[in-house]
Amino acid sequence: MIDAITKDFQERISEDELLNCMRCGFCLPACPTYIETQDEVHSPRGRISLMMAVRNGEIEEIEEVENSLNVCLGCRACEPACPAGVNYGHMLEESRAILKEHKQVPIKEKALRKATLNSLFQDTSKMEKATSLLGFYQRSGLQKTSRKLKVLNFFPEHMRQMERVLPDVPKRKNRSEAFRFKSHTGKTKVTVAMFKGCLMDTLFHETNQATIDLLNKAGCDVVIPDTQGCCGALHGHSGEKDGAIKQAKQNIAAFEQAWADYIITNAGGCGAFLHDYDHLLKRDHEWSERAQAFTYKIVDFSTILIDLDFTSEIALSLDEQIVTYQDSCHLRNVMHVYESPRELIKGIENVTYTEMSNADQCCGSAGIYNLTQPDMSMQILDSKMEKVEETKATTIVTTNPGCLLQMKLGIERQGQSDQVRAVHLADLLLEAM
């Protein structure tokens, strides 16, 4: 098996790309797992060294390599810190895919992957049904009964806390299926196609609707292609490359029919993976050019609002409060969007914006990382909440569903749910409008 893994590493991971890493160490203070462990095995340059060793056939036991790659958040904070421009994230995902393809997956894990990545996240109707079940659990009294009987005590503490911070799921009839929304201004400045996502359009449907309302107010006609699906990020991050490619092709085909000026996202993780479709499909001659055309149009909603002078044309006001912002790692490190969310927040009257120390460092969510690596995730989150406390903010803003839940979890862990709130930027702006 080791020989087969080595062969795949040689064929699929560029030696030149690995050698681009100069081992300078600029990535170390940017890497959350290195900061927490002070262990080179859990640093970007350490992981690149392990990848090179596997490629050279110098490692016989693959478990340490697999563990090191799994502990990595995939936040890609090392990339903007790297003076050589090493594409660490691409190598990480390809390495995970290779190891997954050669691994004897336990039956339970195989069943879980099939039920989630290969079924739930590839079928919007199943995602709708799963969300509706969660809504029934919340509204029927089952949630109150479960808490009263302490049924949730059978789950780990961080999962019990996560259950308490899940948003209230709107009834299915209130989750609209409209596919076109006309500008409120009467004068269309641009036509945009919105990527609605799977979690964003079910668990966070109200945030999607808020985003549409903001875009309409800014002068955008909004089109929502009905054949789009999950972005494939969870597949790509988990080594399920074939599943990610399948989702990419579905979405490219769906948005080609929209004839929009831009494709808008409001979830940093989704946006970054959509932004990388050109890399994902670069070896597919039929799809590579189509993928490049797709990724060229990807824009975060905060960027388009700034480009359309939203804050100067729309009056925004809230009750007096201190607000801080937690970057979505992928929005900042892959899409390079960090100024526009801050500018939008600062444009709200009565808001005192306080920059959080190390706001660009990961909160520990990282997709499903807080479920697969709970100890490290909670260690990173607790460090993050110390930075939040220093700002004295009563509102934490972010731009990604996983980050939002993680920050809500951090507030819950500190027992500050009655004093501090976490909110998506789109919801904050709509509230201010």
Side-chain angles (χ1 to χ4, degrees):
M1 182 182 74
I2 298 298
D3 291 341
I5 292 174
T6 295
K7 183 180 178 181
D8 276 353
F9 265 71
Q10 291 170 350
E11 291 177 354
R12 293 163 56 178
I13 298 181
S14 166
E15 182 178 27
D16 289 341
E17 189 66 54
L18 289 167
L19 290 173
N20 279 342
C21 175
M22 302 180 295
R23 313 296 192 268
C24 65
F26 277 83
C27 59
L28 300 183
C31 176
T33 53
Y34 177 77
I35 291 170
E36 294 298 330
T37 65
Q38 296 295 300
D39 186 345
E40 281 282 1
V41 171
H42 296 309
S43 74
R45 70 178 181 183
R47 293 179 177 111
I48 289 173
S49 294
L50 289 173
M51 294 176 200
M52 178 64 85
V54 174
R55 195 182 190 282
N56 293 339
E58 298 169 353
I59 290 184
E60 295 183 1
E61 297 294 332
I62 210 72
E63 286 76 13
E64 182 181 11
V65 178
E66 185 177 17
N67 178 61
S68 176
L69 298 185
N70 286 342
V71 171
C72 178
L73 291 144
C75 68
R76 296 172 70 168
C78 51
E79 292 184 10
C82 177
V86 175
N87 292 311
Y88 172 82
H90 294 161
M91 293 190 293
L92 171 69
E93 291 188 358
E94 196 65 44
S95 298
R96 284 175 170 173
I98 294 170
L99 295 179
K100 185 263 173 186
E101 290 164 15
H102 291 279
K103 182 181 179 180
Q104 291 293 328
V105 181
I107 294 176
K108 287 184 179 180
E109 182 181 341
K110 187 180 293 185
L112 182 61
R113 282 177 175 265
K114 184 176 181 180
T116 54
L117 297 176
N118 299 330
S119 180
L120 182 63
F121 287 102
Q122 288 191 350
D123 188 328
T124 53
S125 64
K126 290 180 180 178
M127 180 64 75
E128 281 281 355
K129 291 175 182 176
T131 308
S132 295
L133 284 174
L134 175 59
F136 176 77
Y137 166 75
Q138 292 174 333
R139 291 188 295 269
S140 65
L142 281 174
Q143 186 177 55
K144 290 182 179 179
T145 302
S146 297
R147 292 176 178 179
K148 186 175 181 180
L149 297 177
K150 299 184 178 180
V151 173
L152 296 172
N153 287 353
F154 291 100
F155 294 89
E157 181 183 3
H158 76 283
M159 292 188 70
R160 297 198 302 270
Q161 293 170 333
M162 184 65 78
E163 187 269 350
R164 290 198 289 272
V165 302
L166 287 174
D168 292 332
V169 178
K171 292 182 179 180
R172 189 167 186 174
K173 66 180 181 180
N174 295 331
R175 299 202 293 270
S176 67
E177 292 296 331
F179 302 129
R180 189 174 189 95
F181 301 82
K182 299 295 286 184
S183 166
H184 292 317
T185 64
K187 182 181 178 182
T188 301
K189 297 178 182 178
V190 292
T191 298
V192 301
M194 183 169 168
F195 182 78
K196 62 182 183 178
C198 45
L199 282 179
M200 286 303 298
D201 205 49
T202 49
L203 201 58
F204 296 94
H205 180 81
E206 292 180 357
T207 302
N208 266 7
Q209 189 59 54
T211 305
I212 293 169
D213 289 345
L214 295 169
L215 292 168
N216 285 162
K217 286 287 188 182
C220 301
D221 276 1
V222 183
V223 182
I224 304 182
D226 59 344
T227 55
Q228 63 177 293
C230 172
C231 68
L234 291 180
H235 302 80
H237 300 333
S238 302
E240 298 278 352
K241 189 175 181 179
D242 289 344
I245 289 173
K246 178 181 177 181
Q247 295 304 118
K249 291 179 178 179
Q250 177 182 339
N251 287 321
I252 291 169
F255 281 88
E256 284 175 337
Q257 306 304 313
W259 305 107
D261 301 302
Y262 302 101
I263 299 170
I264 301 297
T265 68
N266 61 358
C270 296
F273 201 75
L274 297 172
H275 184 270
D276 270 357
Y277 275 3
D278 57 344
H279 173 77
L280 184 66
L281 295 169
K282 68 178 182 179
R283 296 182 181 179
D284 190 315
H285 298 299
E286 180 185 351
W287 287 87
S288 59
E289 288 188 9
R290 296 168 70 180
Q292 288 175 13
F294 176 89
T295 58
Y296 182 76
K297 291 186 175 184
I298 297 295
V299 177
D300 184 68
F301 86 102
S302 65
T303 300
I304 197 77
L305 291 181
I306 290 297
D307 288 347
L308 296 176
D309 292 326
F310 181 77
T311 52
S312 62
E313 295 188 8
I314 305 293
L316 301 173
S317 179
L318 289 171
D319 292 337
E320 288 190 8
Q321 56 192 283
I322 299 174
V323 177
T324 194
Y325 177 71
Q326 165 62 27
D327 284 286
S328 159
C329 294
H330 289 97
L331 183 62
R332 183 175 182 125
N333 300 326
V334 181
M335 296 182 70
H336 309 296
V337 174
Y338 45 89
E339 291 292 349
S340 55
R342 290 168 167 84
E343 190 173 338
L344 288 166
I345 295 169
K346 292 174 183 178
I348 303 173
E349 189 177 349
N350 297 325
V351 160
T352 300
Y353 177 76
T354 304
E355 182 70 16
M356 185 197 314
S357 176
N358 299 329
D360 58 337
Q361 288 188 355
C362 186
C363 63
S365 172
I368 57 172
Y369 186 91
N370 52 10
L371 299 179
T372 60
Q373 302 286 337
D375 293 339
M376 180 61 73
S377 176
M378 294 304 102
Q379 189 174 334
I380 291 170
L381 176 59
D382 290 342
S383 297
K384 175 63 65 177
M385 295 311 296
E386 291 176 5
K387 304 299 183 186
V388 171
E389 190 172 2
E390 291 172 3
T391 69
K392 302 188 184 303
T394 54
T395 300
I396 308 168
V397 180
T398 189
T399 46
N400 188 62
C403 301
L404 180 58
L405 286 178
Q406 186 81 339
M407 299 313 294
K408 286 177 178 286
L409 179 58
I411 294 168
E412 177 72 22
R413 285 169 66 84
Q414 287 197 324
Q416 294 186 324
S417 297
D418 58 341
Q419 305 167 41
V420 183
R421 64 170 179 160
V423 62
H424 191 284
L425 176 61
D427 295 314
L428 184 78
L429 292 173
L430 189 66
E431 179 186 342
M433 193 173 69

